[in-house]
């Protein structure tokens, strides 16, 4: 708790900040663009001034929890997380989906479980989890501007809180790689390199392309004690509160990479629902954006 905002601010990726204001272009090039440069520079300078006030007057509080746990893949697609190094008691199971698209020979359909050693190999592997937020205090700060009818700075405050949350995520991941997990202790990257994800490992988040099931956040939050340790909470729809928050997993495998699951078929949804203990109807509702079939149509066997 109370992680230094000054430290976090050095890791801000400013390009998405401009996208928030519907300005196309990448930082810092956008500042000198012949079409948007003048407006972008004014916006950037205003952001710097407000960010300085946020840091100096401590408008926001940064909180986070991270954890690394013994883990192995089971049944190809699931990851068992163990209570200790004996690996004989399961703390939780992280359920994953696998791509079902048609690919050229030699290109497998990916699943996040591919980046954790299978249990049968006897190789002791690990997985990490995290939840961070720089949103504590953001609503109050934005609200003060709204009372003054200053919508510009109200929106700016929320946008900066979001940028700081992503920056905090980047900073902590760096510390995980170099210190806490320590699998890349000699890593040395500039912020531009971090933004390009030049480092080893990934941090996919439930609800995003590689793991599109938002309900897996519940297991993640319980595993790392996110709410108890930080007061970051989940809504009924598995959105995080405060809004300026990020959560996900840490994978260290040198070949781990981001990918999208894409559309999936009924057979996998049935198997996935069974593994999670969900009804088919509930699972189809949560996975509706990636279903490769119409749930209201009969399946191949001719049954509903």
């Amino acid at each position: 708790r109370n992680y230094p905002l000054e430290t976090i601010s050095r890791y801000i990726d400013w390009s998405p900040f401009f996208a928030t204001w519907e300005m196309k272009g990448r930082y810092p090039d956008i500042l000198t663009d012949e079409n948007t440069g003048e407006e972008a520079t004014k916006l950037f300078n205003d952001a710097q001034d407000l960010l300085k006030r946020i840091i100096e007057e401590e408008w926001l509080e940064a909180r986070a929890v991270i954890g690394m746990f013994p883990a192995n893949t089971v049944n190809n697609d699931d990851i068992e997380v163990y209570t200790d190094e004996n690996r004989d008691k399961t703390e939780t199971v992280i359920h994953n989906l696998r791509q079902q698209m048609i690919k050229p020979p030699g290109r497998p359909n990916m699943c996040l479980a591919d980046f954790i050693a299978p249990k049968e190999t006897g190789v002791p592997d690990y997985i990490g989890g995290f939840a961070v937020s720089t949103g504590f205090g953001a609503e109050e700060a934005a609200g003060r501007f709204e009372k003054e009818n200053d919508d510009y700075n109200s929106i700016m405050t929320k946008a900066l809180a979001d940028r700081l949350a992503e920056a905090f995520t980047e900073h902590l991941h760096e510390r995980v790689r170099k210190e806490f997990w320590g699998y890349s202790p000699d890593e040395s990257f500039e912020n531009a390199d971090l933004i390009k994800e030049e480092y080893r490992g990934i941090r996919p988040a439930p609800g995003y392309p590689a793991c599109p099931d938002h309900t897996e956040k519940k297991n993640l939050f319980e595993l790392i004690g996110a709410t108890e340790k930080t007061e970051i909470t989940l809504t009924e729809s598995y959105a995080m509160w405060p809004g300026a928050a990020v959560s996900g997993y840490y994978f260290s495998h040198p070949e781990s990479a981001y990918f999208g699951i894409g559309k999936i078929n009924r057979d996998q949804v049935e198997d996935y629902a069974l593994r999670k203990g969900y009804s088919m109807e509930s699972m189809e509702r949560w996975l509706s954006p990636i279903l490769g079939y119409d749930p209201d149509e009969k399946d191949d066997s001719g049954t509903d």
Side-chain angles (χ1 to χ4, degrees), residues 49-96:
D49 291 341
L50 186 58
L51 180 60
K52 184 178 179 181
R53 289 187 64 191
I54 288 172
I55 294 172
E56 291 181 349
E57 300 175 22
E58 299 180 344
W59 291 0
L60 309 179
E61 183 188 346
R63 303 179 190 176
V65 57
I66 60 174
M68 278 65 71
F69 308 90
N72 283 110
T73 288
V74 294
N75 303 320
N76 296 318
D77 296 345
D78 288 340
I79 300 169
E80 282 186 344
V81 182
Y82 307 110
T83 56
D84 54 43
E85 287 291 356
N86 292 325
R87 298 171 184 263
D88 54 9
K89 186 177 180 181
T90 301
E91 179 72 27
T92 191
V93 176
I94 298 170
H95 303 93
N96 300 285

Coordinates of all heavy atoms in Angstrom, one line a residue, residues 49-96:
D49 N 1.2 18.8 -15.7 CA 0.9 19.7 -14.6 C 0.0 19.0 -13.5 O 0.2 19.1 -12.3 CB 0.3 20.9 -15.1 CG 1.3 21.8 -15.9 OD1 2.5 21.6 -15.7 OD2 0.8 22.7 -16.6
L50 N -1.0 18.3 -14.1 CA -2.0 17.7 -13.1 C -1.3 16.5 -12.5 O -1.6 16.2 -11.3 CB -3.2 17.2 -13.9 CG -4.4 16.7 -13.0 CD1 -4.8 17.7 -12.0 CD2 -5.5 16.2 -13.9
L51 N -0.5 15.7 -13.2 CA 0.2 14.6 -12.6 C 1.1 15.0 -11.5 O 1.2 14.3 -10.4 CB 1.0 13.8 -13.7 CG 1.8 12.6 -13.2 CD1 0.8 11.6 -12.7 CD2 2.6 12.0 -14.4
K52 N 1.7 16.1 -11.6 CA 2.6 16.7 -10.6 C 1.8 16.9 -9.3 O 2.2 16.6 -8.2 CB 3.3 17.9 -11.1 CG 4.3 18.5 -10.1 CD 5.0 19.7 -10.6 CE 6.0 20.3 -9.6 NZ 6.7 21.5 -10.1
R53 N 0.6 17.5 -9.5 CA -0.2 17.8 -8.3 C -0.7 16.5 -7.7 O -0.7 16.4 -6.4 CB -1.5 18.6 -8.8 CG -1.2 20.1 -9.2 CD -2.4 20.8 -9.4 NE -3.2 20.9 -8.2 CZ -4.5 21.4 -8.2 NH1 -5.1 21.7 -9.3 NH2 -5.2 21.5 -7.0
I54 N -1.1 15.5 -8.5 CA -1.6 14.2 -8.0 C -0.5 13.6 -7.1 O -0.8 13.1 -6.0 CB -2.0 13.3 -9.1 CG1 -3.3 13.8 -9.8 CG2 -2.1 11.9 -8.7 CD1 -3.6 13.0 -11.1
I55 N 0.7 13.7 -7.6 CA 1.9 13.0 -6.9 C 2.2 13.8 -5.6 O 2.3 13.3 -4.5 CB 3.1 12.9 -7.8 CG1 2.8 11.9 -8.9 CG2 4.3 12.5 -7.0 CD1 3.9 11.9 -10.0
E56 N 2.4 15.1 -5.7 CA 2.8 16.0 -4.6 C 1.7 16.0 -3.5 O 2.1 16.0 -2.3 CB 3.1 17.4 -5.1 CG 4.4 17.4 -5.9 CD 4.7 18.8 -6.4 OE1 3.9 19.7 -6.2 OE2 5.9 19.0 -6.9
E57 N 0.5 16.1 -3.9 CA -0.6 16.2 -2.9 C -1.2 14.9 -2.5 O -2.2 14.8 -1.8 CB -1.7 17.2 -3.5 CG -1.1 18.6 -3.7 CD -2.1 19.5 -4.4 OE1 -3.3 19.3 -4.2 OE2 -1.7 20.5 -5.0
E58 N -0.7 13.8 -3.1 CA -1.1 12.4 -2.8 C -2.6 12.2 -2.9 O -3.3 11.8 -2.0 CB -0.6 12.1 -1.4 CG 0.9 12.1 -1.2 CD 1.3 11.7 0.2 OE1 0.5 11.7 1.1 OE2 2.5 11.4 0.4
W59 N -3.1 12.6 -4.1 CA -4.6 12.4 -4.3 C -4.9 11.0 -4.5 O -6.1 10.6 -4.1 CB -5.0 13.2 -5.6 CG -4.9 14.7 -5.6 CD1 -4.5 15.4 -4.5 CD2 -5.2 15.6 -6.6 NE1 -4.6 16.7 -4.8 CE2 -5.0 16.9 -6.1 CE3 -5.6 15.4 -7.9 CZ2 -5.2 18.0 -6.9 CZ3 -5.9 16.6 -8.7 CH2 -5.7 17.8 -8.2
L60 N -4.0 10.2 -5.0 CA -4.3 8.8 -5.3 C -3.4 7.9 -4.4 O -2.3 8.3 -4.0 CB -4.0 8.4 -6.7 CG -4.7 9.3 -7.8 CD1 -4.3 8.8 -9.2 CD2 -6.2 9.3 -7.7
E61 N -3.9 6.7 -4.1 CA -3.1 5.7 -3.4 C -2.9 4.5 -4.3 O -3.9 3.9 -4.8 CB -3.7 5.3 -2.1 CG -2.8 4.3 -1.3 CD -3.5 3.7 -0.1 OE1 -4.5 4.2 0.4 OE2 -2.9 2.7 0.5
A62 N -1.7 4.0 -4.4 CA -1.4 2.8 -5.2 C -1.3 1.6 -4.2 O -0.5 1.6 -3.3 CB -0.1 3.0 -5.9
R63 N -2.0 0.6 -4.6 CA -2.0 -0.7 -3.8 C -1.9 -1.8 -4.7 O -2.3 -1.8 -5.9 CB -3.3 -0.8 -3.0 CG -3.6 0.3 -2.1 CD -5.0 0.0 -1.3 NE -5.4 1.2 -0.6 CZ -6.6 1.3 0.0 NH1 -7.4 0.2 0.0 NH2 -6.9 2.4 0.7
A64 N -1.2 -2.9 -4.2 CA -1.0 -4.1 -5.1 C -0.7 -5.3 -4.2 O -0.3 -5.2 -3.1 CB 0.2 -3.8 -6.1
V65 N -1.0 -6.4 -4.8 CA -0.6 -7.7 -4.2 C -0.1 -8.6 -5.3 O -0.7 -8.6 -6.4 CB -1.7 -8.4 -3.4 CG1 -3.0 -8.6 -4.3 CG2 -1.3 -9.7 -2.8
I66 N 1.0 -9.3 -5.1 CA 1.5 -10.2 -6.1 C 1.8 -11.6 -5.3 O 2.0 -11.6 -4.1 CB 2.9 -9.7 -6.7 CG1 3.9 -9.5 -5.6 CG2 2.6 -8.5 -7.5 CD1 5.3 -9.2 -6.2
G67 N 1.9 -12.6 -6.1 CA 2.2 -13.9 -5.5 C 2.7 -14.9 -6.6 O 2.4 -14.8 -7.7
M68 N 3.6 -15.7 -6.2 CA 4.2 -16.8 -7.0 C 3.9 -18.1 -6.3 O 4.1 -18.3 -5.1 CB 5.7 -16.6 -7.3 CG 6.0 -15.6 -8.4 SD 5.6 -13.9 -8.0 CE 6.7 -13.5 -6.7
F69 N 3.4 -19.1 -7.1 CA 3.0 -20.4 -6.6 C 3.4 -21.6 -7.4 O 3.6 -21.5 -8.6 CB 1.4 -20.4 -6.6 CG 0.8 -19.2 -5.9 CD1 0.5 -18.0 -6.7 CD2 0.5 -19.1 -4.6 CE1 -0.1 -16.9 -6.1 CE2 0.0 -18.0 -4.0 CZ -0.3 -16.9 -4.8
P70 N 3.7 -22.7 -6.7 CA 4.0 -24.0 -7.4 C 2.8 -24.4 -8.2 O 1.7 -24.2 -7.8 CB 4.2 -25.0 -6.2 CG 4.5 -24.1 -5.0 CD 3.7 -22.9 -5.2
A71 N 3.1 -24.8 -9.5 CA 2.0 -25.1 -10.4 C 2.5 -26.1 -11.4 O 3.7 -26.2 -11.8 CB 1.5 -23.8 -11.0
N72 N 1.5 -26.8 -12.0 CA 1.8 -27.7 -13.1 C 0.5 -27.8 -14.0 O -0.6 -27.7 -13.4 CB 2.2 -29.1 -12.7 CG 3.7 -29.2 -12.3 OD1 4.0 -29.3 -11.1 ND2 4.6 -29.1 -13.2
T73 N 0.7 -28.1 -15.2 CA -0.5 -28.3 -16.1 C -1.0 -29.7 -16.0 O -0.3 -30.7 -15.8 CB -0.1 -28.1 -17.6 OG1 0.1 -26.7 -17.8 CG2 -1.1 -28.5 -18.6
V74 N -2.4 -29.8 -16.0 CA -3.0 -31.2 -15.9 C -4.1 -31.2 -17.0 O -4.7 -30.2 -17.4 CB -3.7 -31.4 -14.6 CG1 -2.6 -31.5 -13.5 CG2 -4.7 -30.3 -14.2
N75 N -4.3 -32.4 -17.6 CA -5.3 -32.6 -18.6 C -5.2 -31.6 -19.8 O -6.2 -31.1 -20.3 CB -6.7 -32.5 -18.0 CG -6.9 -33.5 -16.9 OD1 -6.5 -34.6 -17.0 ND2 -7.6 -33.1 -15.8
N76 N -4.0 -31.3 -20.1 CA -3.6 -30.4 -21.3 C -3.9 -28.9 -21.1 O -3.1 -28.1 -21.4 CB -4.3 -30.9 -22.5 CG -3.8 -32.3 -23.0 OD1 -2.6 -32.6 -22.9 ND2 -4.7 -33.1 -23.4
D77 N -5.1 -28.6 -20.6 CA -5.6 -27.2 -20.6 C -5.7 -26.5 -19.3 O -5.9 -25.3 -19.2 CB -6.9 -27.1 -21.3 CG -6.8 -27.5 -22.8 OD1 -5.7 -27.6 -23.3 OD2 -7.9 -27.8 -23.4
D78 N -5.6 -27.3 -18.2 CA -5.8 -26.6 -16.8 C -4.5 -26.6 -16.1 O -3.6 -27.4 -16.3 CB -6.8 -27.4 -16.0 CG -8.3 -27.2 -16.5 OD1 -8.5 -26.3 -17.2 OD2 -9.1 -28.1 -16.2
I79 N -4.4 -25.6 -15.2 CA -3.2 -25.4 -14.4 C -3.5 -25.6 -12.9 O -4.4 -24.9 -12.4 CB -2.6 -24.0 -14.6 CG1 -2.2 -23.8 -16.1 CG2 -1.4 -23.8 -13.7 CD1 -1.9 -22.4 -16.4
E80 N -3.0 -26.6 -12.3 CA -3.1 -26.9 -10.9 C -2.2 -26.0 -10.1 O -1.0 -25.9 -10.4 CB -2.9 -28.3 -10.5 CG -4.0 -29.3 -10.8 CD -3.8 -30.7 -10.3 OE1 -2.6 -31.0 -9.9 OE2 -4.8 -31.4 -10.2
V81 N -2.7 -25.3 -9.1 CA -1.8 -24.4 -8.3 C -1.8 -25.1 -6.9 O -2.8 -25.4 -6.3 CB -2.4 -23.0 -8.2 CG1 -1.4 -22.1 -7.3 CG2 -2.5 -22.4 -9.6
Y82 N -0.6 -25.3 -6.4 CA -0.4 -26.1 -5.1 C -0.2 -25.2 -3.9 O 0.3 -24.1 -4.0 CB 0.7 -27.1 -5.3 CG 0.6 -28.0 -6.5 CD1 1.4 -27.8 -7.6 CD2 -0.5 -28.9 -6.6 CE1 1.2 -28.6 -8.8 CE2 -0.6 -29.7 -7.8 CZ 0.2 -29.5 -8.9 OH 0.1 -30.3 -10.0
T83 N -0.5 -25.8 -2.8 CA -0.4 -25.0 -1.5 C 1.0 -24.8 -1.1 O 1.4 -23.9 -0.4 CB -1.2 -25.7 -0.4 OG1 -0.7 -27.0 -0.2 CG2 -2.7 -25.7 -0.6
D84 N 1.9 -25.8 -1.5 CA 3.3 -25.7 -1.1 C 4.2 -26.6 -2.1 O 3.6 -27.1 -3.0 CB 3.5 -26.2 0.3 CG 3.0 -27.5 0.6 OD1 3.2 -28.5 -0.2 OD2 2.4 -27.7 1.7
E85 N 5.5 -26.6 -1.8 CA 6.4 -27.3 -2.7 C 6.2 -28.8 -2.7 O 6.8 -29.5 -3.5 CB 7.8 -27.0 -2.3 CG 8.3 -25.6 -2.7 CD 8.4 -25.4 -4.2 OE1 8.2 -26.3 -5.0 OE2 8.6 -24.2 -4.6
N86 N 5.5 -29.4 -1.7 CA 5.2 -30.8 -1.8 C 4.3 -31.2 -3.0 O 4.3 -32.3 -3.4 CB 4.5 -31.3 -0.5 CG 5.4 -31.2 0.7 OD1 6.6 -31.4 0.6 ND2 4.9 -30.8 1.9
R87 N 3.5 -30.2 -3.4 CA 2.6 -30.4 -4.6 C 1.7 -31.5 -4.5 O 1.3 -32.1 -5.5 CB 3.5 -30.5 -5.9 CG 4.4 -29.3 -6.1 CD 5.4 -29.5 -7.2 NE 6.2 -28.3 -7.3 CZ 6.1 -27.3 -8.2 NH1 5.1 -27.4 -9.1 NH2 6.8 -26.3 -8.2
D88 N 1.3 -31.8 -3.3 CA 0.3 -32.9 -3.1 C -1.1 -32.4 -2.7 O -2.0 -33.2 -2.5 CB 0.8 -33.9 -2.1 CG 1.2 -33.3 -0.7 OD1 0.9 -32.1 -0.6 OD2 1.8 -34.0 0.1
K89 N -1.2 -31.1 -2.5 CA -2.5 -30.5 -2.2 C -2.8 -29.3 -3.1 O -1.9 -28.4 -3.2 CB -2.5 -30.1 -0.7 CG -3.9 -29.5 -0.3 CD -3.9 -29.2 1.2 CE -5.3 -28.7 1.6 NZ -5.3 -28.3 3.1
T90 N -3.9 -29.3 -3.8 CA -4.2 -28.2 -4.7 C -4.9 -27.1 -4.1 O -5.9 -27.2 -3.4 CB -5.1 -28.8 -5.9 OG1 -4.5 -29.9 -6.5 CG2 -5.4 -27.7 -6.9
E91 N -4.4 -25.9 -4.3 CA -5.0 -24.7 -3.7 C -6.1 -24.2 -4.6 O -7.2 -23.8 -4.2 CB -3.9 -23.5 -3.7 CG -4.4 -22.2 -3.1 CD -4.8 -22.2 -1.7 OE1 -4.1 -23.1 -1.0 OE2 -5.6 -21.5 -1.2
T92 N -5.9 -24.2 -5.9 CA -7.0 -23.9 -6.9 C -6.6 -24.4 -8.3 O -5.5 -24.9 -8.5 CB -7.1 -22.3 -7.0 OG1 -8.3 -22.0 -7.7 CG2 -6.0 -21.7 -7.7
V93 N -7.5 -24.3 -9.2 CA -7.2 -24.7 -10.6 C -7.6 -23.6 -11.5 O -8.6 -23.0 -11.4 CB -8.1 -26.0 -11.0 CG1 -7.8 -26.3 -12.5 CG2 -7.7 -27.2 -10.1
I94 N -6.6 -23.2 -12.3 CA -6.8 -22.1 -13.3 C -7.3 -22.8 -14.6 O -6.5 -23.6 -15.2 CB -5.5 -21.3 -13.6 CG1 -5.1 -20.6 -12.3 CG2 -5.8 -20.3 -14.7 CD1 -3.7 -20.0 -12.3
H95 N -8.5 -22.5 -15.0 CA -9.1 -23.2 -16.2 C -8.8 -22.3 -17.5 O -8.9 -21.1 -17.4 CB -10.6 -23.3 -16.1 CG -11.0 -24.1 -14.9 ND1 -11.3 -23.5 -13.6 CD2 -11.1 -25.5 -14.7 CE1 -11.5 -24.5 -12.8 NE2 -11.4 -25.6 -13.3
N96 N -8.4 -23.0 -18.5 CA -8.0 -22.3 -19.7 C -8.7 -22.8 -20.9 O -9.2 -23.9 -21.0 CB -6.5 -22.4 -20.0 CG -5.7 -21.8 -18.8 OD1 -5.6 -20.6 -18.6 ND2 -5.1 -22.7 -18.0

